[in-house]
């Protein structure tokens, strides 16, 4: 994501939160957001989550992950410890970002695994590209899935992400585990 786009998004989000008396510098700001009335909280999600994802889907930047060799590094990393450290059900590797659904035993194990994925894949991709330095954006977004409806909503979002961005099938990778069976499908 270009810095100018992300800077504007963060500034707009900060202003919205300030208008609702939420201070981003306080550690519990997300809990304060959750205490807002449903319609206000939904407005926040629609305004900022959807805007962020729309910008991602415009495929800003180098879009390194549209190269099948580069996206394969991410796919193999995500699959490596499935069933051991976490239970992975879905992912899509887009040209410039990744969405996934995985269950972890603890928040700490989730954070450690996300750090591990980012570190390993950045090192491998940078090595293949002959470059060094940061590859992934610093902050990620995580959502706690609290219901079957939310789970199905996120699964659908992931499965539709590539086509919604008008990408040809060879420019993204989608995986979805069939639940209740040992079979899964990767595209």
């Amino acid at each position: 994501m270009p810095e100018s786009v992300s800077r504007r998004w963060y500034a707009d989000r900060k202003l919205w939160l300030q208008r609702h008396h939420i201070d981003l510098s306080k550690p519990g700001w997300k809990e304060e957001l959750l205490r807002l009335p449903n319609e206000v909280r939904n407005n926040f999600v629609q305004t900022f989550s959807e805007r962020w994802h729309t910008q991602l889907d415009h495929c800003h930047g180098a879009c390194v992950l549209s190269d099948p060799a580069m996206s394969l590094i991410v796919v193999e990393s995500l699959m490596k410890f499935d069933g051991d450290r976490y239970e992975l059900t879905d992912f899509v590797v887009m040209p410039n970002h990744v969405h996934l659904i995985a269950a972890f035993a603890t928040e700490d194990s989730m954070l450690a695994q996300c750090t591990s994925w980012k570190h390993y894949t950045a090192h491998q991709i940078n090595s293949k590209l002959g470059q060094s330095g940061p590859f992934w954006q610093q902050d990620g977004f995580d959502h706690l899935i609290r219901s079957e409806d939310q789970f199905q909503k996120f699964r659908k979002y992931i499965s539709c992400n590539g086509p919604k961005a008008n990408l040809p099938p060879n420019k993204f990778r989608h995986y979805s585990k069939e639940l209740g069976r040992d079979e899964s499908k990767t595209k």
Side-chain angles (χ1 to χ4, degrees), residues 81-127:
F81 295 106
D82 181 28
D84 180 23
R85 296 182 185 173
Y86 47 85
E87 190 66 37
L88 182 67
T89 62
D90 298 83
F91 67 74
V92 62
V93 180
M94 296 290 283
N96 62 352
H97 67 283
V98 177
H99 296 288
L100 66 97
I101 299 175
F104 295 87
T106 66
E107 182 179 359
D108 288 342
S109 63
M110 177 194 69
L111 295 172
Q113 186 60 54
C114 289
T115 298
S116 176
W117 282 325
K118 285 182 170 184
H119 176 77
Y120 176 79
T121 57
H123 178 74
Q124 294 298 312
I125 292 168
N126 278 339
S127 177

Side-chain angles (χ1 to χ4, degrees), residues 64-79 88-101 125 128 155 157-163 165 167-176 185-187:
V64 170
L65 300 177
S66 65
D67 178 333
M70 300 302 150
S71 64
L72 184 59
I73 292 168
V74 176
V75 168
E76 290 175 343
S77 179
L78 292 173
M79 301 293 293
L88 182 67
T89 62
D90 298 83
F91 67 74
V92 62
V93 180
M94 296 290 283
N96 62 352
H97 67 283
V98 177
H99 296 288
L100 66 97
I101 299 175
I125 292 168
K128 290 204 181 288
R155 285 192 104 182
Y157 180 87
I158 287 171
S159 71
C160 294
N161 198 215
L167 294 174
N170 65 336
K171 295 297 180 189
F172 68 95
R173 291 181 186 256
H174 174 247
Y175 166 87
S176 184
K185 49 187 175 179
T186 305
K187 298 179 194 171

Side-chain angles (χ1 to χ4, degrees), residues 14-161:
K14 182 178 180 179
L15 287 172
W16 189 100
L17 291 168
Q18 286 173 339
R19 281 195 306 270
H20 292 85
H21 311 289
I22 297 174
D23 184 353
L24 271 171
S25 65
K26 292 183 179 178
W29 74 267
K30 288 183 180 179
E31 288 77 18
E32 288 182 49
L33 179 63
L34 291 174
R35 287 192 289 273
L36 292 175
N38 282 340
E39 64 277 359
V40 176
R41 197 172 58 246
N42 289 340
N43 174 263
F44 176 83
V45 170
Q46 287 177 334
T47 301
F48 295 101
S49 180
E50 290 177 14
R51 186 168 136 199
W52 183 265
H53 292 294
T54 298
Q55 288 298 322
L56 283 174
D57 290 344
H58 283 133
C59 296
H60 295 289
C63 294
V64 170
L65 300 177
S66 65
D67 178 333
M70 300 302 150
S71 64
L72 184 59
I73 292 168
V74 176
V75 168
E76 290 175 343
S77 179
L78 292 173
M79 301 293 293
K80 175 113 176 125
F81 295 106
D82 181 28
D84 180 23
R85 296 182 185 173
Y86 47 85
E87 190 66 37
L88 182 67
T89 62
D90 298 83
F91 67 74
V92 62
V93 180
M94 296 290 283
N96 62 352
H97 67 283
V98 177
H99 296 288
L100 66 97
I101 299 175
F104 295 87
T106 66
E107 182 179 359
D108 288 342
S109 63
M110 177 194 69
L111 295 172
Q113 186 60 54
C114 289
T115 298
S116 176
W117 282 325
K118 285 182 170 184
H119 176 77
Y120 176 79
T121 57
H123 178 74
Q124 294 298 312
I125 292 168
N126 278 339
S127 177
K128 290 204 181 288
L129 295 174
Q131 63 187 33
S132 62
F135 179 79
W136 297 104
Q137 185 172 334
Q138 183 68 19
D139 295 326
F141 290 91
D142 58 68
H143 303 279
L144 181 61
I145 297 176
R146 299 174 189 271
S147 70
E148 177 69 22
D149 287 344
Q150 284 183 332
F151 177 68
Q152 293 304 330
K153 176 184 147 196
F154 283 117
R155 285 192 104 182
K156 183 176 180 180
Y157 180 87
I158 287 171
S159 71
C160 294
N161 198 215

